[in-house]
Amino acid sequence: MKVSSSVALTASSLLAFTSNAEPIKRTQKCGLPLVQDKALVDSILLKDLLGCAQDLEDIAYSTSYRNRVHGTEGHLNSVDYFVEQLKSLGDYYDIELQDFTTEVTIASKAELSIDGEAVEAGGFSFGNNGTWADTPLVTVANLGCNAEDHPATLSGNIALIARGNCTFVEKITFAGEKGAIGAIIYNNADAGVAAGTLGGVNDLIPVAGITRADGLSLVDQISNGATVVSAGEFWQYIDNTTSYNVVASSKHGDANNVLFLGAHSDSVEAGPGINDNGSGSCGLLTIAKALAKWKTNNQVRFAWWTAEEEGLLGSEHYVNIASPSVLDKIRLYLNFDMIASPNYVLGIYDGDGSSFNLSGPAGSAEAEKLFEAWYESQGLPYVGSEFNGRSDYGPFLDQGIPCGGLDTGADGIKTDAEVTMFGGTAGIWYDPNYHSAKDNVTNLNLDAFEATGKAIAHAVATYGKSWAGFPSRNATSLTRKSLGLPRKYSTLARKSRRGKKSY
């Protein structure tokens, strides 16, 4: 095992787990047959995907916080689990652990009452601590995305703001500048309380999230002349913690033409994070284990990223410490974040820009077409997902690396047209359990999980065997970071239309 110089983990330090995932016998890389598409795809079984998901849920629930936040016991045990599963394959992969330290929300409390009656409420990642009592609510005009939307009467009061169009940070910054001592953001869909991230430690006013129905009711009362008072108690325990990226590279195949697949392995504080993103993590692990029965012509690399929920920090760390020559050997990076959403769509990253007018480096369009052709061959519908770098592929895009991937939706709103294509319920989130304690195994959509898992295996078999028809990497990608090209994402707006949002 390769371990970074600052990591002291050894094989003897790894925890023992009773795994629900299907075991695979140790194999040797020599004498293996060349990977075959149909055989690899057919070997991806729902019971193995679900077994892994159950293992991750068990890991989370065995800890006091019942989550897998970066640096907590739940995440460190998840890292150990991935390493143990990979080591069980013998010497097929070189395994590297990359340590990374950052601030994370470990625990939190969110309580809100209106006119003395308790109201369902939630906090926001990196929200500040605050307590207030008997404080009037003042409505903010429009969506609160401009300073003029926030009236002077906010001074000393609580801002009531609708979700949408701009970041949470922008809304509460404007409110704070007008003297508000706190803010309440109500959702823009019937999908539970508003929730999300402020992107990092800040000095903003405290903020709560409530449901759309509660928010509209309060707006109606205030507009009819009522004085509505609130009381709130919000706090978060934030600490510097260390955890690890797990990177596994096949020991055979052309190391100058790497197929790289990644998924984040951490959760938010609210729950075990089984769709977000145990599903993507388990999709990759199941395929990595199945691939160990085959050889490939091109090196295949898998990564389980830490600290994605804190702002893509694990994948960004990998890119930042990798040499330009290492990055230039990556022919394609594929990302998988939330692939079993209960109210799902089958989303494909829009690498050619045909759906959202945001395209990627040469090769991104080809990756999109590969997945489109696969879904079509299986008689499955699909939609484009906005290709804006707001998941762990963002740092790779910034280096000029072709990217692609699949998702099944997060806190975007499902349309009537999508219900016609995929079934489900219009007008609510693709994952109504997003960033909540209900994001567990029982709420995964098994059809979506299996379809995306097999689609990923198809990509691995295709590009693991040959890059025929795929564009060569442009040598200028070695210097893209120094060219001053605009970043495609920021800490305050990390995710796609169907991905996780900070607004």
Side-chain angles (χ1 to χ4, degrees):
M1 179 192 299
K2 293 181 180 178
V3 183
S4 61
S5 58
S6 58
V7 181
L9 294 183
T10 64
S12 62
S13 72
L14 298 176
L15 297 180
F17 291 100
T18 301
S19 171
N20 291 298
E22 185 72 17
I24 293 182
K25 295 181 180 179
R26 290 176 176 268
T27 59
Q28 299 298 319
K29 63 178 181 175
C30 298
L32 295 175
L34 182 63
V35 64
Q36 298 299 310
D37 183 26
K38 185 178 186 304
L40 184 65
V41 169
D42 288 348
S43 71
I44 306 307
L45 304 177
L46 182 59
K47 67 183 181 69
D48 294 328
L49 295 167
L50 270 179
C52 171
Q54 187 63 61
D55 287 342
L56 294 182
E57 182 178 285
D58 292 345
I59 288 169
Y61 287 167
S62 70
T63 70
S64 59
Y65 293 125
R66 294 173 65 82
N67 62 35
R68 298 184 303 107
V69 170
H70 164 91
T72 63
E73 182 184 6
H75 189 254
L76 292 171
N77 290 353
S78 298
V79 169
D80 287 347
Y81 172 78
F82 293 124
V83 173
E84 181 190 65
Q85 293 287 308
L86 292 165
K87 284 174 65 66
S88 73
L89 304 173
D91 66 345
Y92 191 87
Y93 294 105
D94 281 324
I95 304 169
E96 179 183 2
L97 296 179
Q98 293 182 333
D99 60 306
F100 182 75
T101 301
T102 190
E103 291 179 315
V104 299
T105 300
I106 303 296
S108 65
K109 180 178 182 178
E111 289 186 353
L112 179 69
S113 64
I114 304 294
D115 290 336
E117 297 290 331
V119 173
E120 182 184 8
F124 289 73
S125 296
F126 294 105
N128 282 319
N129 298 346
T131 301
W132 67 88
D134 299 325
T135 306
L137 301 184
V138 175
T139 54
V140 169
N142 303 314
L143 296 173
C145 295
N146 299 293
E148 54 268 29
D149 295 333
H150 298 254
T153 51
L154 281 175
S155 181
N157 295 318
I158 304 298
L160 180 62
I161 314 172
R163 181 179 189 167
N165 279 19
C166 60
T167 67
F168 303 130
V169 168
E170 289 172 297
K171 295 173 188 287
I172 63 177
T173 296
F174 288 134
E177 289 173 348
K178 291 296 179 70
I181 64 170
I184 298 172
I185 295 176
Y186 60 92
N187 220 338
N188 57 354
D190 295 323
V193 300
T197 180
L198 304 186
V201 176
N202 58 76
D203 59 0
L204 300 170
I205 59 176
V207 58
I210 62 174
T211 66
R212 178 175 182 269
D214 285 339
L216 292 176
S217 174
L218 294 173
V219 169
D220 185 58
Q221 293 176 53
I222 295 169
S223 66
N224 287 328
T227 297
V228 180
V229 298
S230 66
E233 180 181 0
F234 294 84
W235 59 260
Q236 298 189 28
Y237 169 43
I238 297 174
D239 195 15
N240 261 331
T241 62
T242 299
S243 198
Y244 307 90
N245 291 329
V246 179
V247 183
S249 303
S250 63
K251 291 186 177 181
H252 53 86
D254 183 359
N256 292 315
N257 289 280
V258 177
L259 172 64
F260 200 147
L261 304 93
H264 75 86
S265 60
D266 62 318
S267 77
V268 295
E269 174 264 336
I274 302 306
N275 185 38
D276 182 18
N277 183 38
S279 62
S281 293
C282 288
L284 293 196
L285 181 63
T286 301
I287 292 160
K289 292 166 69 174
L291 184 63
K293 297 179 178 180
W294 305 90
K295 69 179 179 181
T296 56
N297 290 328
N298 300 306
Q299 186 177 78
V300 180
R301 183 173 302 151
F302 297 92
W304 291 265
W305 306 118
T306 192
E308 188 271 355
E309 297 291 1
E310 317 313 319
L312 321 186
L313 299 184
S315 54
E316 192 171 67
H317 177 64
Y318 177 91
V319 167
N320 286 344
I321 67 173
S323 67
S325 61
V326 167
L327 296 176
D328 204 53
K329 292 174 182 175
I330 302 170
R331 291 292 296 274
L332 175 65
Y333 174 81
L334 296 175
N335 194 69
F336 305 98
D337 191 352
M338 303 181 66
I339 62 171
S341 301
N343 195 33
Y344 77 97
V345 293
L346 295 178
I348 303 174
Y349 291 4
D350 182 30
D352 65 3
S354 59
S355 297
F356 296 96
N357 201 31
L358 286 170
S359 59
S364 304
E366 283 73 10
E368 179 186 9
K369 289 179 173 59
L370 178 93
F371 286 124
E372 288 176 346
W374 167 254
Y375 281 145
E376 288 170 3
S377 74
Q378 303 302 302
L380 294 171
Y382 57 84
V383 293
S385 288
E386 190 173 1
F387 197 62
N388 52 17
R390 294 178 181 175
S391 189
D392 281 308
Y393 64 102
F396 291 87
L397 279 183
D398 287 342
Q399 298 299 318
I401 296 169
C403 292
L406 304 173
D407 67 64
T408 58
D411 58 350
I413 306 301
K414 195 166 195 176
T415 66
D416 289 329
E418 289 168 340
V419 170
T420 300
M421 296 171 70
F422 302 99
T425 304
I428 67 170
W429 289 355
Y430 300 108
D431 187 352
N433 310 300
Y434 168 65
H435 279 193
S436 79
K438 295 180 181 179
D439 183 7
N440 55 34
V441 169
T442 61
N443 288 317
L444 298 177
N445 186 286
L446 304 188
D447 291 336
F449 205 1
E450 185 174 35
T452 51
K454 290 182 178 292
I456 299 166
H458 171 63
V460 170
T462 300
Y463 294 131
K465 182 183 290 187
S466 172
W467 292 108
F470 196 87
S472 299
R473 281 293 303 279
N474 189 332
T476 59
S477 64
L478 288 171
T479 56
R480 278 181 183 271
K481 195 169 186 180
S482 63
L483 293 178
L485 297 178
R487 294 177 67 86
K488 293 183 174 66
Y489 70 97
S490 72
T491 39
L492 301 182
R494 291 287 189 179
K495 299 288 185 171
S496 72
R497 182 171 69 87
R498 291 186 179 83
K500 300 164 235 177
K501 295 182 180 177
S502 58
Y503 56 90

